[in-house]
Amino acid sequence: MAKWLVKTEPSECSIDDFAKQPGTPIPWDGVRNYQARNFLRQMAAGDQVFIYHSSCKHIGIAGIVRVTQSAYPDPAQFDPESPYHDPKSTPEQPRWQAVDMQFVEKLPALISLDRLKNREGLDQLPLVRKGSRLSVMPVSADEWRLILGHTT
DNA sequence: GCCAACGTTGGC
DNA sequence: GCCAACGTTGGC
């Protein structure tokens, strides 16, 4: 089972929004970057995903969700009213994908970006690489374990 | 609010 | 195909 990390602004969708509806799949939509989209396409039901809070007061990994539905065309791309509308997308040739995810757990304590940067073994994780803006990325089993492993 | 780094667009 | 201009991301 593959593992992943996704970034989100908690004002948009936070781990608490998942926690409020523990049995309900929430669409992960609005991804408008090709590299991130390609990773979305590789997600399978059952995959676990770190939720990372960005552009906020407490930056870091806040919890875990899991994929309940693999990639399907993101409806927002067809909606002229949506900020995620893409006029170059058609139902025959959709450019963008969404997946559904649902709550697994909120971490007892946020794992801060600062801590992630200082952890050995995470140098290859795009999240901590200078200038990286990738919002959906794979996490290896080793990285996953390192991230959860120690909390000091 | 600032700004470095990045991705995309479009003229040539 | 190049690359300048522009818009966005995201930490600080």
Side-chain angles (χ1 to χ4, degrees):
Chain A
M1 208 70 80
K3 298 186 187 305
W4 309 92
L5 181 147
V6 297
K7 295 181 186 172
T8 176
E9 298 187 17
S11 58
E12 281 294 312
C13 181
S14 72
I15 191 68
D16 291 321
D17 293 322
F18 281 97
K20 270 183 255 171
Q21 312 174 69
T24 306
I26 295 177
W28 199 262
D29 60 4
V31 171
R32 294 294 179 267
N33 167 282
Y34 290 105
Q35 198 183 354
R37 179 205 62 186
N38 294 342
F39 286 131
L40 274 189
R41 281 186 173 149
Q42 295 173 34
M43 289 185 181
D47 285 0
Q48 289 201 295
V49 184
F50 280 134
I51 295 292
Y52 173 89
H53 288 172
S54 68
S55 300
C56 60
K57 185 157 183 193
H58 302 292
I59 297 168
I61 295 173
I64 300 172
V65 300
R66 74 166 183 278
V67 178
T68 58
Q69 170 62 58
S70 59
Y72 58 91
D74 179 351
Q77 68 195 308
F78 309 124
D79 177 5
E81 304 299 313
S82 168
Y84 300 124
H85 178 235
D86 186 342
K88 292 178 189 151
S89 248
T90 65
E92 295 74 29
Q93 298 250 308
R95 296 178 135 194
W96 307 112
Q97 305 286 121
V99 300
D100 291 345
M101 300 182 179
Q102 86 177 35
F103 184 68
V104 172
E105 66 173 310
K106 181 172 178 175
L107 295 179
L110 180 116
I111 304 172
S112 71
L113 175 59
D114 191 54
R115 192 184 296 164
L116 293 168
K117 279 181 176 168
N118 289 319
R119 181 135 310 165
E120 306 256 339
L122 297 182
D123 322 51
Q124 296 307 309
L125 193 65
L127 185 75
V128 299
R129 298 192 76 106
K130 181 175 164 63
S132 172
R133 290 159 42 174
L134 188 61
S135 63
V136 178
M137 68 193 75
V139 177
S140 72
D142 282 348
E143 289 165 339
W144 186 274
R145 187 170 37 73
L146 279 170
I147 290 167
L148 286 178
H150 31 128
T151 44
T152 55

